[in-house]
Amino acid sequence: MAAHRARGMAERDATEVFSEWALRDRDLGMESGHAASVHEMLSIALSRLDDPFSAIDVGCGNGWVCRSLEQTEGCTSAVGVDGSEEMIRKARSRGDGEFHHALLPDWAPGRRFSLVHSMEFLYYLRDPLSMLSAIHDDWLEPGGTLVAGVDHYLENEDSLDWPVGLSVHMTTLSEEQWRQGMVDAGFEDVEMRRVGLKDGFVGTLAMIGTKPASL
């Protein structure tokens, strides 16, 4: 990264990159590219929940996961939050729904949910493991479930040059570091899965955990 900056490529904020992508409709490619992983992740997470349930999508982009959740039997509400102003503008333009433009981890929803979903968000944070703790403590109802997917992780060698290629900060953690982060945050029944497997792709690393019902 130091060599990259030496060539005059300053590190950019991820939200700026995603706003540019939204203006160029690249969010549609992200939606189709991530669909298989997300649907598998949600299937696993929803199997842990009872109806009715509420949900929030962290890093919601154009809101496609929220719209999918709203069509799921038992879902009472699906809220989205994203740091990209253009992504949130696009999410709001596609129909009704509750979408928040906010920078994380400084924002909190002000209420708790049965399900917290995140796809391709956590590693853009400087301290993503602290975000896991915040979700556990402040975002989830007792007995609620977090399911989060990342494509940038140590074992996915094809992803390791992404920070340089995009000039964007990414925190690179191993599967074991993510698993331990979930445990340290207080989650129970932690599962680590590789989902969305296909030729040439080692899979989205999905982490699933439940907040103890007694809390």
Side-chain angles (χ1 to χ4, degrees):
M1 181 64 77
H4 196 60
R5 287 180 181 148
R7 294 197 297 270
M9 299 293 289
E11 188 173 276
R12 305 176 69 198
D13 191 283
T15 59
E16 177 186 348
V17 174
F18 284 120
S19 283
E20 290 178 1
W21 288 3
L23 291 170
R24 294 159 54 192
D25 289 333
R26 286 191 60 179
D27 58 298
L28 302 178
M30 296 165 64
E31 177 178 341
S32 61
H34 294 153
S37 293
V38 166
H39 290 154
E40 192 171 345
M41 287 162 51
L42 288 176
S43 177
I44 298 167
L46 290 173
S47 70
R48 297 190 178 199
L49 300 178
D50 296 323
D51 294 342
F53 71 92
S54 58
I56 186 167
D57 185 20
V58 188
C60 67
N62 67 18
W64 68 277
V65 175
C66 291
R67 292 190 293 274
S68 177
L69 284 167
E70 287 172 347
Q71 301 302 312
T72 302
E73 184 177 358
C75 183
T76 59
S77 65
V79 176
V81 58
D82 201 286
S84 163
E85 186 173 2
E86 292 299 333
M87 285 290 188
I88 290 297
R89 182 176 290 117
K90 182 165 283 192
R92 290 170 175 164
S93 74
R94 294 191 165 195
D96 296 334
E98 182 181 343
F99 295 101
H100 299 269
H101 172 235
L103 294 178
L104 297 168
D106 298 329
W107 182 85
R111 66 184 193 272
R112 297 173 191 266
F113 299 85
S114 315
L115 173 67
V116 175
H117 169 272
S118 172
M119 177 65 184
E120 289 289 82
F121 158 71
L122 285 170
Y123 58 75
Y124 290 107
L125 300 177
R126 299 283 175 177
D127 187 2
L129 300 186
S130 289
M131 187 69 197
L132 294 180
S133 294
I135 290 171
H136 176 278
D137 294 347
D138 303 325
W139 295 51
L140 276 173
E141 299 172 349
T145 291
L146 165 67
V147 59
V150 293
D151 286 347
H152 176 75
Y153 57 100
L154 189 63
E155 289 83 358
N156 183 8
E157 295 182 359
D158 289 343
S159 75
L160 299 184
D161 64 351
W162 292 357
V164 172
L166 292 174
S167 299
V168 169
H169 168 81
M170 297 182 189
T171 299
T172 307
L173 299 177
S174 68
E175 181 172 344
E176 174 56 25
Q177 286 174 309
W178 282 116
R179 187 201 67 81
Q180 189 61 51
M182 292 283 287
V183 172
D184 291 345
F187 288 98
E188 295 182 335
D189 300 324
V190 173
E191 293 182 69
M192 307 299 290
R193 300 271 196 100
R194 302 282 184 94
V195 300
L197 294 168
K198 56 186 177 182
D199 291 343
F201 178 47
V202 299
T204 295
L205 179 62
M207 57 199 88
I208 309 100
T210 296
K211 181 174 179 174
S214 60
L215 294 181

